[in-house]
Amino acid sequence: MRRSVVIGTALWITGALPAGARAGYAQERLAAGPRLLTTRGDSLSALRALDDLVRAKRTDAEGWHRRGMLAWRLSNAEKRSGYMKREANDSLLALADSSLRLATRYGADTPGYFVDLGRFYLTSNSASVRSRASDLFKKAYTLAKKQHDDIELARAADELGMTWWRRYEDRANRHIYSVIIQNLKNRNFLHDPRSIAYFVDNQTIRAAAQDWSGQREYLNAWDYFAEALRADPSNPGARKHTYMALVDRQRWVELEHVSRVRLDHDSTDAWAWLANGLANHRLGDDPASAIAFRNGVRFLSDEERARYDRLSRIFTTKDSANLARLPESEQENVHRMYWLMADPLWATRDNEHRLEFLSRVTYAELRFSVDEFGLHGVDTDQGDVYIRYGPPPAVISF
């Protein structure tokens, strides 16, 4: 509440200036560019300048859009956790909502404004609001095609692909059973995961091979991801979502090819290296996998490297706590010694356990991340289980 009062007071004070003076002041403040966005205080200053800008020119679509995007970033919208449970700033969310909608009104021929409004709606904790995003992405897609705008076409196609992907996740791996488990007299086998997988596989009514659960949704998502990459091969969302679709169906040969094509264009792309490492490891080429993972980890930012390469992902809670209490230099020594001692075959050049760990981390990040809520796949429940216990013998959805 205090933040919204401060913002409101500052806007009221600048609002006392004549319109021309307010516009000039706003342009001067915004001329500094990203320098204004280094801290929250600077960002609020930029937000006030944008407010003056749109007050002076009500139909300035770009001004409304920049105002909405900045308010959205400051609102912490991705931290909302459930209906009416919020860590986000409601006043800034309302400001972002109104500003982004006005941008689409005054800039109705700009596809990017519709993509951003749709992405903003996806962060809502209301299902009815999130459902509006799909139509906005379709409109952006149509506009971008008419205008031959490859950059915005890639963004819109990628978002439409994710719309189909969410439907696929609701339908994937479903089974129809020919018997009822509750009626079985002997259920001792249910304590063994492999026996459960065998039971499920044998008691499932099989559909035609070309009609697997969620096939239509998956293929529609894949078509949009592929179109997004054709339009703009440098689009990071389209690339990671393409990797996601490939790892979900274990299409390792295609993943190796797609990642290698990307590396031919940009040999510093960390996630192309990591995806290539995962594909090669699953294909049994450990030397190529080791090279790819080594490069991928090297090109990650320090923050990403620390997040993904943590031993706490496979340590017990007690061991993780003990490790966290050590000085940073000692933690690095423990990390190095752990992988040295965990190497099952010292005579070989590659550390097979380390490669498996990195493969699981890469898979979890690509497969389970939720971009609209800022969730990294390695930090989700599914990612945690996958990294600790490895690929499951069966994936079953009820």
Side-chain angles (χ1 to χ4, degrees), residues 10 65 69 84 89 103-104 129 140 149 176 183 208 215-216 219 262 289 300 304 308 322 331-332 355 367:
H65 178 255
M69 293 299 289
M84 296 301 289
N89 186 309
T104 61
V129 174
D149 186 340
I176 303 174
N183 292 338
Q215 181 190 39
R216 172 173 169 268
L219 293 178
R262 171 59 185 166
S289 176
L300 286 173
E304 286 179 313
Y308 301 137
N322 291 336
Q331 291 186 32
E332 292 176 2
L355 293 178
R367 179 61 186 85

Side-chain angles (χ1 to χ4, degrees), residues 17-261:
L17 296 172
R22 292 202 306 272
Y25 170 79
Q27 294 287 4
E28 180 183 345
R29 294 294 293 157
L30 291 172
R35 185 165 56 83
L36 285 172
L37 306 180
T38 56
T39 67
R40 183 176 180 84
D42 289 340
S43 297
L44 292 176
S45 176
L47 193 61
R48 290 193 290 269
L50 285 166
D51 188 80
D52 290 334
L53 196 66
V54 295
R55 282 171 183 265
K57 188 178 179 182
R58 301 288 298 179
T59 59
D60 184 356
E62 183 182 358
W64 285 114
H65 178 255
R66 292 174 66 186
R67 181 179 187 246
M69 293 299 289
L70 182 54
W72 178 16
R73 185 174 73 81
L74 291 172
S75 70
N76 294 320
E78 71 281 357
K79 291 186 178 180
R80 288 178 289 186
S81 55
Y83 189 66
M84 296 301 289
K85 296 179 181 178
R86 304 180 178 183
E87 295 180 36
N89 186 309
D90 287 346
S91 60
L92 285 172
L93 285 172
L95 188 68
D97 185 20
S98 60
S99 297
L100 291 174
R101 283 191 289 108
L102 286 169
T104 61
R105 178 190 300 177
Y106 296 127
D109 60 345
T110 306
Y113 295 166
F114 292 94
V115 173
D116 288 331
L117 179 58
R119 286 180 57 82
F120 174 72
Y121 282 165
L122 286 177
T123 66
S124 173
N125 53 17
S126 166
S128 62
V129 174
R130 291 196 300 271
S131 67
R132 302 176 198 167
S134 179
D135 288 338
L136 293 168
F137 297 144
K138 289 176 184 176
K139 187 163 186 175
Y141 178 83
T142 302
L143 282 172
K145 275 211 161 186
K146 286 181 179 178
Q147 298 170 11
H148 304 287
D149 186 340
D150 288 340
I151 301 298
E152 295 302 338
L153 176 60
R155 294 184 68 214
D158 181 49
E159 294 298 342
L160 284 173
M162 284 304 297
T163 299
W164 280 104
W165 185 262
R166 294 181 193 98
R167 298 173 187 171
Y168 164 69
E169 288 190 316
D170 284 341
R171 293 165 172 77
N173 303 306
R174 288 191 177 179
H175 291 69
I176 303 174
Y177 298 99
S178 56
V179 298
I180 303 300
I181 294 178
Q182 288 88 334
N183 292 338
L184 294 177
K185 294 181 179 179
N186 183 5
R187 301 188 207 171
N188 292 332
F189 73 93
L190 294 178
H191 297 292
D192 177 12
R194 293 188 181 278
S195 297
I196 294 174
Y198 180 79
F199 170 81
V200 168
D201 188 52
N202 279 275
Q203 299 301 332
T204 298
I205 300 174
R206 302 179 186 278
Q210 69 272 18
D211 189 24
W212 38 271
S213 178
Q215 181 190 39
R216 172 173 169 268
E217 291 77 12
Y218 178 93
L219 293 178
N220 279 328
W222 174 257
D223 288 342
Y224 277 118
F225 294 151
E227 183 176 7
L229 274 185
R230 286 194 300 270
D232 179 15
S234 65
N235 185 294
R239 287 201 311 273
K240 289 192 77 171
H241 294 151
T242 299
Y243 300 156
M244 172 188 69
L246 290 172
V247 302
D248 178 78
R249 301 297 301 176
Q250 301 182 29
R251 296 161 63 180
W252 306 124
V253 173
E254 293 166 273
L255 179 63
E256 195 280 333
H257 172 73
V258 169
S259 58
R260 184 158 35 84
V261 168

